[in-house]
């Protein structure tokens, strides 16, 4: 209401100022005909001025602001994958018995174009993600996510994340999985609890995969040198050569 009152007062002030200037013009030159000619000309140009100012120029400014926001968001997403996402994807691919069905479509090449990334995203969308829960060391997974919780909370403090629905969904899925792991006795899980955790992992797995493809696409189009580095750490490439933090019987790996 205060903002409305301020704007209303300012509008009235401008109108009074305009009337005063026109009155001053008439007082000096005594030429109402001249005043109305220019007044009508200015009114006629007003729609074009609105078009230029409100639609075209404002559109250009908003587009630039959107591009800047996207760059900032992708910087945050890059930090997420460096700290949590890439490792988590590697872990999930190690317990997915059918991972080669999707991995073959996610070996990103420098020659990829937008249509190749689109095909990869379509494959991610239609893939039936598998999790072999009996292979997972749930305590290690819980420990890993707990250690990253403060980092993930700091990401959520960024108000710009509200503009990125898919990444917000991914973070929400990760937090939910961590909460579920922390609230259960992982040594004595019932069948329904195992099924619930399996579905939570699938949700994180699927969301991480799609977001990873989008992030790699952004790197290729914007930061070619980071794109080359990301290719060497592709979680879907050389799967059998990695060791994984969550897999029972495997050495602990922080990367």
């Amino acid at each position: 209401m205060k903002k409305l009152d301020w704007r209303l007062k300012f509008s009235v002030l401008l109108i009074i100022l305009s009337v005063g200037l026109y009155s001053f013009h008439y007082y000096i030159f005594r030429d109402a005909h001249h005043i109305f000619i220019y007044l009508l000309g200015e009114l006629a140009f007003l729609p074009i001025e609105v078009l230029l100012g409100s639609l075209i120029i404002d559109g250009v400014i908003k587009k630039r602001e959107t591009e800047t926001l996207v760059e900032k968001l992708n910087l945050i997403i890059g930090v997420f994958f460096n700290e949590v996402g890439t490792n988590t994807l590697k872990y999930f691919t190690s317990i997915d018995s059918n991972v080669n069905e999707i991995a073959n479509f996610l070996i990103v090449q420098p020659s990829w174009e937008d249509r190749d990334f689109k095909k990869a995203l379509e494959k991610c969308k239609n893939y039936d993600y598998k999790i072999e829960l009996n292979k997972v060391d749930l305590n290690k997974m819980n420990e890993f996510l707990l250690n990253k919780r403060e980092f993930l909370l700091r990401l959520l403090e960024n108000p710009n994340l509200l503009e990125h629905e898919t990444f917000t969904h991914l973070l929400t899925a990760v937090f939910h999985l961590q909460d579920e792991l922390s609230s259960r006795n992982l040594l004595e899980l019932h069948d329904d609890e195992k099924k619930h955790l399996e579905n939570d992992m699938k949700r994180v797995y699927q969301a991480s995969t799609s977001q990873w493809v989008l992030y790699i696409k952004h790197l290729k189009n914007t930061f070619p040198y980071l794109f080359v580095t990301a290719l060497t750490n592709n979680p879907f490439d050389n799967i059998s050569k990695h060791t994984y933090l969550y897999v029972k019987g495997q050495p602990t790996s922080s990367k």
Side-chain angles (χ1 to χ4, degrees):
M1 186 64 182
K2 291 182 178 180
K3 288 184 177 180
L4 180 62
D5 291 341
W6 177 85
R7 291 178 180 177
L8 179 60
K9 292 178 181 179
F10 186 67
S11 299
V12 171
L13 178 62
L14 291 177
I15 293 173
I16 294 174
L17 180 61
S18 179
V19 172
L21 289 173
Y22 276 118
S23 298
F24 182 68
H25 182 282
Y26 178 77
Y27 176 77
I28 295 177
F29 299 105
R30 300 291 179 174
D31 190 352
H33 178 73
H34 182 270
I35 292 176
F36 282 108
I37 287 177
Y38 277 93
L39 178 61
L40 183 59
E42 290 173 359
L43 288 175
F45 184 74
L46 186 59
I48 298 177
E49 187 176 2
V50 172
L51 173 65
L52 292 174
S54 300
L55 299 181
I56 299 178
I57 297 177
D58 186 59
V60 171
I61 294 175
K62 286 185 177 180
K63 181 180 179 182
R64 179 55 186 166
E65 290 176 347
T66 301
E67 290 174 351
T68 302
L69 177 60
V70 169
E71 286 186 15
K72 292 180 179 179
L73 289 174
N74 277 289
L75 178 61
I76 296 172
I77 293 171
V79 174
F80 167 81
F81 277 107
N82 288 335
E83 289 289 330
V84 180
T86 300
N87 289 335
T88 302
L89 272 177
K90 287 182 178 180
Y91 308 145
F92 285 141
T93 57
S94 71
I95 55 178
D96 184 352
S97 57
N98 297 329
V99 67
N100 287 328
E101 292 183 14
I102 190 174
N104 294 331
F105 292 88
L106 297 179
I107 308 302
V108 182
Q109 301 296 332
S111 59
W112 272 31
E113 299 180 356
D114 287 350
R115 64 174 179 271
D116 298 303
F117 286 102
K118 184 177 180 180
K119 291 179 182 178
L121 284 172
E122 191 66 24
K123 186 66 178 178
C124 294
K125 179 180 178 181
N126 297 324
Y127 177 63
D128 184 16
Y129 293 83
K130 301 290 185 181
I131 294 292
E132 295 185 45
L133 196 64
N134 62 308
K135 294 183 178 181
V136 183
D137 191 325
L138 295 175
N139 285 306
K140 286 184 178 180
M141 176 181 283
N142 186 36
E143 181 182 352
F144 175 80
L145 293 178
L146 276 175
N147 289 336
K148 299 297 183 180
R149 185 175 181 85
E150 184 176 350
F151 162 77
L152 294 171
L153 285 172
R154 288 202 300 271
L155 292 185
L156 283 178
E157 292 174 357
N158 192 317
N160 292 329
L161 287 182
L162 297 176
E163 303 294 330
H164 202 299
E165 183 177 350
T166 56
F167 185 58
T168 303
H169 171 72
L170 170 56
L171 284 181
T172 302
V174 173
F175 273 112
H176 179 73
L177 174 59
Q178 192 275 311
D179 289 339
E180 290 293 332
L181 289 170
S182 299
S183 63
R184 300 178 187 276
N185 182 352
L186 300 177
L187 298 178
E188 298 180 1
L189 291 172
H190 300 295
D191 290 341
D192 59 332
E193 292 179 308
K194 291 179 180 179
K195 186 64 177 178
H196 185 88
L197 288 174
E198 182 179 313
N199 289 332
D200 290 339
M201 291 181 195
K202 286 182 180 180
R203 189 179 298 112
V204 175
Y205 186 11
Q206 182 175 10
S208 298
T209 302
S210 298
Q211 188 61 69
W212 179 83
V213 173
L214 291 171
Y215 174 62
I216 295 298
K217 177 184 177 182
H218 168 75
L219 290 184
K220 184 179 185 301
N221 294 334
T222 312
F223 301 106
Y225 55 96
L226 293 179
F227 171 71
V228 173
T229 302
L231 292 188
T232 63
N233 200 28
N234 186 334
F236 296 92
D237 195 9
N238 296 324
I239 293 172
S240 61
K241 296 182 181 180
H242 298 297
T243 56
Y244 304 94
L245 179 65
Y246 309 151
V247 181
K248 292 181 179 179
Q250 291 289 344
T252 299
S253 171
S254 60
K255 290 289 181 183

